[in-house]
Amino acid sequence: MKASRIAAAAAVAGSAVVVLSSPAFAHVSVQPEGTAVKGDYAVVDFKVPNERDDASTTKLEVTFPTDHPLASVMPEPISGWTVEVTKSKLAKPAEMHGETITEAVTKVTWTATGKGVEPGYFQKFPVSVGMLPTDTDQLVFKALQTYSDKEVVRWIEVQKDGAEEPENPAPTLELTSPSASGATAEDASEKTENTAAATTTAADTSDTTARVLAVVGIAVGAAGVAYGVLAGRRRTTV
């Protein structure tokens, strides 16, 4: 009885190790090259790993958000892939940085002209986007990944606050607020001007101090000469 219990416990432990050591399910994601700052432009990479061992990824379709439309979307050319940018009329015109936007890019589609993303590899699809919205902390891009065997995986589930990650999460781009130390041309220029002014002030102060010391030195020297002449006259008189 004791031996059977030990064997059962060992079997359970073994199965637990298998579950814990299994690799996490790879999915399509989006990350900025650097940071994605609100109100600015950024280059973002849609990363597509191939978790299959019997088929290649031959197509990627990324849907762009219409609740926070992007006026500028420019994919980078990738060898072995064609790219199609789809624009659509917005149901409601959007005000973006003082301009009214009536249409925007709603989808970008990459199609492989060769083998595509083969098993055991991944591919990045860079896109320049902007200007990023200032009234949200993230942008959600729903994506469809098509394999060479015609299977389509839909990465369209939106992550909910406090909930576990869904099985097929949609690529989500986190946006950051402009920091106080963020390098803008205006800030950099102002900092340079302030530094130059401080340097000039310091130089003027140093020059003034040197002049004062020179005058004092001359006065002291003149006093010394006068004292020497007076002393000589006294000796002569005696």
Side-chain angles (χ1 to χ4, degrees):
M1 179 66 69
K2 185 175 181 180
S4 62
R5 289 179 179 176
I6 293 175
V12 172
S15 62
V17 170
V18 171
V19 171
L20 294 176
S21 62
S22 61
F25 189 65
H27 53 78
V28 175
S29 61
V30 60
Q31 291 292 334
E33 294 184 4
T35 56
V37 181
K38 297 178 181 179
D40 204 349
Y41 287 83
V43 175
V44 299
D45 294 329
F46 290 95
K47 181 180 178 182
V48 182
N50 190 350
E51 75 282 357
R52 294 278 300 274
D53 56 7
D54 58 353
S56 298
T57 295
T58 57
K59 188 176 183 179
L60 174 68
E61 300 171 76
V62 176
T63 299
F64 281 65
T66 55
D67 55 343
H68 294 96
L70 299 171
S72 175
V73 177
M74 295 186 293
E76 179 179 325
I78 302 176
S79 178
W81 295 80
T82 61
V83 59
E84 179 184 358
V85 178
T86 302
K87 288 186 176 182
S88 302
K89 289 283 187 180
L90 297 175
K92 181 180 180 181
E95 293 292 331
M96 297 179 59
H97 310 286
E99 296 184 5
T100 301
I101 305 299
T102 58
E103 69 172 14
V105 172
T106 53
K107 181 186 291 187
V108 177
T109 304
W110 291 269
T111 305
T113 57
K115 296 181 180 179
V117 186
E118 298 184 83
Y121 292 87
F122 73 91
Q123 176 72 54
K124 288 183 179 180
F125 297 87
V127 182
S128 173
V129 297
M131 297 175 64
L132 296 174
T134 58
D135 56 350
T136 184
D137 294 327
Q138 62 181 21
L139 292 177
V140 178
F141 302 86
K142 297 183 178 182
L144 302 182
Q145 182 180 12
T146 302
Y147 288 92
S148 54
D149 61 0
K150 306 305 180 183
E151 178 188 0
V152 178
V153 180
R154 301 168 62 84
W155 305 101
I156 61 174
E157 299 179 62
V158 180
Q159 175 71 51
K160 296 182 179 179
D161 293 338
E164 295 184 358
E165 184 181 57
E167 183 177 354
N168 295 93
T172 302
L173 177 66
E174 299 296 335
L175 306 181
T176 59
S177 299
S179 61
S181 59
T184 64
E186 183 177 354
D187 292 341
S189 176
E190 183 178 354
K191 184 177 180 180
T192 301
E193 291 177 1
N194 291 339
T195 301
T199 302
T200 302
T201 302
D204 291 343
T205 302
S206 177
D207 185 54
T208 301
T209 301
R211 291 179 181 178
V212 171
L213 291 176
V215 172
V216 172
I218 292 172
V220 171
V225 172
Y227 178 78
V229 171
L230 181 60
R233 289 178 179 179
R234 288 179 179 175
R235 292 194 190 97
T236 303
T237 300
V238 175

